[in-house]
Short mmCIF file of all heavy atoms in Angstrom, two decimals:
data_model
loop_
_atom_site.label_atom_id
_atom_site.label_comp_id
_atom_site.label_asym_id
_atom_site.label_seq_id
_atom_site.Cartn_x
_atom_site.Cartn_y
_atom_site.Cartn_z
N SER B 306 -58.08 7.87 -1.33
CA SER B 306 -57.81 9.27 -1.72
C SER B 306 -57.34 9.39 -3.16
O SER B 306 -57.45 10.46 -3.76
CB SER B 306 -56.76 9.85 -0.79
OG SER B 306 -55.54 9.13 -0.92
N GLY B 307 -56.79 8.32 -3.69
CA GLY B 307 -56.28 8.37 -5.06
C GLY B 307 -54.93 9.05 -5.18
O GLY B 307 -54.45 9.34 -6.28
N LYS B 308 -54.29 9.33 -4.06
CA LYS B 308 -53.00 10.02 -4.11
C LYS B 308 -51.87 8.99 -4.24
O LYS B 308 -52.08 7.78 -4.13
CB LYS B 308 -52.78 10.80 -2.80
CG LYS B 308 -53.70 12.00 -2.66
CD LYS B 308 -53.41 12.72 -1.34
CE LYS B 308 -54.43 13.80 -1.11
NZ LYS B 308 -54.28 14.42 0.22
N ASN B 309 -50.67 9.52 -4.45
CA ASN B 309 -49.48 8.69 -4.58
C ASN B 309 -49.09 8.10 -3.21
O ASN B 309 -49.35 8.71 -2.17
CB ASN B 309 -48.34 9.59 -5.09
CG ASN B 309 -47.17 8.78 -5.57
OD1 ASN B 309 -47.21 7.56 -5.61
ND2 ASN B 309 -46.11 9.48 -5.93
N VAL B 310 -48.49 6.92 -3.24
CA VAL B 310 -48.08 6.26 -1.98
C VAL B 310 -47.07 7.12 -1.23
O VAL B 310 -47.16 7.30 0.00
CB VAL B 310 -47.48 4.88 -2.28
CG1 VAL B 310 -46.89 4.27 -1.03
CG2 VAL B 310 -48.50 3.95 -2.87
N LYS B 311 -46.12 7.66 -1.98
CA LYS B 311 -45.07 8.47 -1.35
C LYS B 311 -45.66 9.72 -0.71
O LYS B 311 -45.22 10.15 0.37
CB LYS B 311 -44.01 8.88 -2.39
CG LYS B 311 -43.14 7.74 -2.85
CD LYS B 311 -42.17 7.33 -1.76
CE LYS B 311 -41.31 6.17 -2.19
NZ LYS B 311 -40.48 5.67 -1.07
N THR B 312 -46.66 10.29 -1.39
CA THR B 312 -47.31 11.49 -0.85
C THR B 312 -47.97 11.17 0.49
O THR B 312 -47.84 11.92 1.46
CB THR B 312 -48.35 12.01 -1.84
OG1 THR B 312 -47.75 12.16 -3.13
CG2 THR B 312 -48.94 13.34 -1.39
N ILE B 313 -48.68 10.07 0.52
CA ILE B 313 -49.39 9.66 1.74
C ILE B 313 -48.39 9.38 2.85
O ILE B 313 -48.57 9.81 4.01
CB ILE B 313 -50.25 8.40 1.49
CG1 ILE B 313 -51.30 8.67 0.41
CG2 ILE B 313 -50.89 7.91 2.77
CD1 ILE B 313 -52.39 9.63 0.82
N GLN B 314 -47.31 8.69 2.51
CA GLN B 314 -46.29 8.39 3.53
C GLN B 314 -45.67 9.66 4.11
O GLN B 314 -45.47 9.78 5.32
CB GLN B 314 -45.19 7.51 2.92
CG GLN B 314 -45.59 6.07 2.72
CD GLN B 314 -44.54 5.25 2.00
OE1 GLN B 314 -43.63 5.78 1.38
NE2 GLN B 314 -44.68 3.93 2.07
N THR B 315 -45.40 10.62 3.23
CA THR B 315 -44.83 11.89 3.68
C THR B 315 -45.82 12.62 4.59
O THR B 315 -45.42 13.17 5.63
CB THR B 315 -44.47 12.78 2.48
OG1 THR B 315 -43.64 12.04 1.58
CG2 THR B 315 -43.75 14.04 2.90
N GLN B 316 -47.08 12.61 4.19
CA GLN B 316 -48.09 13.30 5.00
C GLN B 316 -48.27 12.61 6.36
O GLN B 316 -48.47 13.28 7.37
CB GLN B 316 -49.41 13.35 4.23
CG GLN B 316 -49.38 14.37 3.09
CD GLN B 316 -50.65 14.39 2.26
OE1 GLN B 316 -51.50 13.53 2.41
NE2 GLN B 316 -50.76 15.38 1.40
N VAL B 317 -48.22 11.29 6.38
CA VAL B 317 -48.32 10.55 7.65
C VAL B 317 -47.16 10.92 8.56
O VAL B 317 -47.33 11.18 9.75
CB VAL B 317 -48.35 9.03 7.38
CG1 VAL B 317 -48.06 8.25 8.65
CG2 VAL B 317 -49.69 8.61 6.81
N TYR B 318 -45.96 10.96 7.97
CA TYR B 318 -44.77 11.29 8.75
C TYR B 318 -44.87 12.70 9.34
O TYR B 318 -44.60 12.92 10.53
CB TYR B 318 -43.55 11.16 7.84
CG TYR B 318 -42.24 11.56 8.47
CD1 TYR B 318 -41.62 10.76 9.41
CD2 TYR B 318 -41.62 12.77 8.13
CE1 TYR B 318 -40.43 11.13 9.99
CE2 TYR B 318 -40.43 13.13 8.72
CZ TYR B 318 -39.85 12.32 9.63
OH TYR B 318 -38.65 12.69 10.21
N ARG B 319 -45.31 13.65 8.52
CA ARG B 319 -45.40 15.04 9.01
C ARG B 319 -46.51 15.18 10.05
O ARG B 319 -46.34 15.89 11.05
CB ARG B 319 -45.68 15.98 7.84
CG ARG B 319 -44.46 16.21 6.96
CD ARG B 319 -44.79 17.09 5.79
NE ARG B 319 -43.66 17.15 4.86
CZ ARG B 319 -43.73 17.63 3.63
NH1 ARG B 319 -44.89 18.06 3.15
NH2 ARG B 319 -42.67 17.66 2.86
#
Side-chain angles (χ1 to χ4, degrees):
Chain B
S306 63
K308 290 180 187 174
N309 194 4
V310 172
K311 288 288 179 187
T312 308
I313 300 291
Q314 285 175 343
T315 307
Q316 286 177 350
V317 164
Y318 176 74
R319 286 178 187 166

